[in-house]
Amino acid sequence: MTRPAHRRRLVGGGLPGWLGLAFAAAALLPGSRAEAQQKPAEPTKAEDGRPAQYCAGIANAAADARFTWQKEALTALAKDVEVRIGQLEAKRAEYEEWLRRRQAFLAKADESVTAIYAKMRPEAASQQLTAMDSEAAAAILTRLDARTASAILNEMEPGRAARRQRHHQHAPEEAGAVQA
C-alpha cells in the first residue's frame, strides 16, 4: 500500500512543520508569562489613582449604610422608651388604685362615727367593732386617739384584736394624716 506522493509530502512534510510551530509557540510562551508577571509588579500611572477612585466611589454608599444603621438604632431605642413608658403608666395606674383604696378606707370612718365610738365605753365599742367587717373596724380605730383605741382593743378577744391591730398597723400614715 503505497500512498500517493502528494499525500506523503503533506503528511511527511507537514509533521516537521507542525513541530516547528509547536517549538516556536513554546519559545514565545515563557516570554509572555514573564511580561504578565511584571505588569502587576509595576503599576502604571493610571492604576495609581484606583484606590482613591474606589474610596471616592463607595463613600456615598458607606455614608448611606451608616445613616441606615443609625436610624435602626434610634428606632430600637424609641421602641425601648415606649416599653418603659408603658411600664411607668402601669405603675402609675397601680399607685392611683392604691390611693383610691386608701381614700375609700378613710371615708369609711366618718368623723361623726368616729366621735360616737370615741364616746362609747370600751366594752360596748369592742362588741360593735367585732361585729363589723375588718376593714371598716380598722378605719375607725385609726381615727381614734391611741388611748381610746388601745382600751377598745383590750376588750376584744385576742384573735380578733390581733387582726384589727394588723389592719391598724398597716395604715399608720392614714392616722397621722387625719390627726394632722
Side-chain angles (χ1 to χ4, degrees), residues 5 19 23 32 42 45 48-49 70 72 74 83 89 94 96 99 105 110 120-121 138 142 171 177:
L19 282 176
F23 285 125
S32 63
E42 298 176 14
K45 290 186 180 185
D48 287 343
Q70 288 173 344
E72 290 172 359
L74 287 174
V83 167
E89 287 295 323
E94 182 182 330
E96 285 177 355
L99 182 61
F105 176 79
D110 184 46
M120 289 177 78
R121 289 185 328 231
T142 58

Side-chain angles (χ1 to χ4, degrees), residues 5-131:
H6 72 286
R7 259 192 115 173
R8 234 182 295 157
R9 222 179 315 145
L10 284 176
V11 172
L15 186 60
W18 283 103
L19 282 176
L21 283 174
F23 285 125
L28 290 176
L29 280 177
S32 63
R33 281 188 190 158
E35 289 176 16
Q37 289 175 355
Q38 288 177 358
K39 281 186 182 177
E42 298 176 14
T44 63
K45 290 186 180 185
E47 291 177 349
D48 287 343
R50 279 191 170 175
Q53 287 175 349
Y54 176 77
C55 290
I58 67 163
N60 289 337
D64 290 343
R66 185 176 62 245
F67 291 141
T68 302
W69 175 79
Q70 288 173 344
K71 183 180 177 184
E72 290 172 359
L74 287 174
T75 303
L77 287 174
K79 286 180 183 178
D80 185 44
V81 167
E82 288 176 14
V83 167
R84 290 180 184 216
I85 287 173
Q87 291 171 344
L88 287 174
E89 287 295 323
K91 281 289 187 190
R92 185 184 57 81
E94 182 182 330
Y95 289 136
E96 285 177 355
E97 174 63 21
W98 181 85
L99 182 61
R100 185 195 59 75
R101 286 180 48 207
R102 178 181 177 268
Q103 290 171 345
F105 176 79
L106 290 176
K108 287 181 180 180
D110 184 46
E111 285 293 327
S112 61
V113 175
T114 305
I116 292 171
Y117 280 96
K119 293 179 181 176
M120 289 177 78
R121 289 185 328 231
E123 305 86 31
S126 70
Q127 288 176 356
Q128 293 293 323
L129 291 175
T130 303

Side-chain angles (χ1 to χ4, degrees), residues 12 21 30 46 76 81 104 115 118 148-149 154-156 158 169 172-175 177-178:
L21 283 174
V81 167
T148 306
N154 192 34
E155 293 298 323
M156 287 184 177
Q169 287 175 348
E173 62 273 357
E174 287 91 358
V178 172

